[in-house]
Amino acid sequence: LYAHLWVQLADHVRPGGRVALVTANAFLDAAYGRDLCRHLARSYRVVAILESRCEAWFPAAGVNPVLTVLERRGDDDRPPEAPAVLVRIDRPLEVIGPSRVAAAVRSAAARPGPGGQETLETDGLRLRVVPQALLDTLPDVSGAVFPTLAQLDSAKTLITANWDSVVGADIQAAP
């Protein structure tokens, strides 16, 4: 569902405008995530992606969260100069402090490393600085077709009926 939202948001954010969403981290590792990330890299400048590996920010959801911050690209198709900062959070935010995380992201974005890439480790955070030009080398998927909400809804029974056998796990409905 949130993959569809990212695609649709591009039409509602002005060039230079920023958008941030907290979603499950599944798209970072799933097959559909590669296409989604390529699309995001074409439509947006990736400001930062922050992934928590140690806590669920929404305990009732039971998923590992990721905060994705994007800036809409302009029509000039000029590559953005600021790098993307990919952050793995290894300690609870309550321990690290959100303002410390924000300061670490700003600091990392201002430090171009050799070859444009750099990995920084600090107490509870791992920050990887990646040049936007590198993200821009991902193949173009502008012609990708994402299902509509109606199509997803009509496939819900098929998806849920076969989910356990395809995924190989016994998924139980939430109470």
Side-chain angles (χ1 to χ4, degrees), residues 1 147-169 171:
L1 183 60
T148 65
L149 293 177
Q151 290 169 328
L152 289 172
D153 193 44
S154 68
K156 182 178 180 179
T157 303
L158 176 65
I159 292 169
T160 56
N162 297 312
W163 185 265
D164 291 353
S165 63
V166 171
V167 174
I171 307 298

Side-chain angles (χ1 to χ4, degrees), residues 2-62:
Y2 55 84
H4 184 72
L5 178 62
W6 277 124
V7 173
Q8 296 302 316
L9 276 175
D11 293 334
H12 302 284
V13 178
R14 65 175 171 72
R18 289 191 173 181
V19 62
L21 282 181
V22 176
T23 64
N25 67 350
F27 80 93
L28 296 173
D29 299 317
Y32 75 88
R34 287 188 295 272
D35 291 337
L36 177 61
C37 288
R38 287 182 194 110
H39 171 76
L40 294 178
R42 296 278 180 240
S43 301
Y44 300 94
R45 174 179 84 80
V46 178
V47 176
I49 298 177
L50 298 93
E51 178 183 20
S52 176
R53 295 282 179 105
C54 65
E55 67 180 331
W57 294 338
F58 304 100

Side-chain angles (χ1 to χ4, degrees), residues 35-152:
D35 291 337
L36 177 61
C37 288
R38 287 182 194 110
H39 171 76
L40 294 178
R42 296 278 180 240
S43 301
Y44 300 94
R45 174 179 84 80
V46 178
V47 176
I49 298 177
L50 298 93
E51 178 183 20
S52 176
R53 295 282 179 105
C54 65
E55 67 180 331
W57 294 338
F58 304 100
V63 297
N64 289 326
V66 62
L67 169 64
T68 306
V69 182
L70 304 173
E71 183 177 288
R72 183 75 165 99
R73 290 187 183 227
D75 296 331
D76 61 4
D77 204 28
R78 217 170 16 103
E81 304 207 6
V85 181
L86 311 178
V87 182
R88 186 182 73 206
I89 303 171
D90 292 325
R91 296 181 66 203
L93 280 177
E94 185 177 291
V95 173
I96 297 173
S99 61
R100 189 164 158 225
V101 174
V105 169
R106 282 192 299 274
S107 175
R111 297 174 44 138
Q117 292 189 62
E118 185 173 9
T119 299
L120 309 166
E121 302 257 355
T122 183
D123 191 32
L125 297 173
R126 181 170 188 249
L127 302 101
R128 178 164 290 155
V129 181
V130 179
Q132 292 291 327
L134 181 61
L135 295 177
D136 289 345
T137 63
L138 294 169
D140 183 11
V141 293
S142 58
V145 178
F146 292 90
T148 65
L149 293 177
Q151 290 169 328
L152 289 172

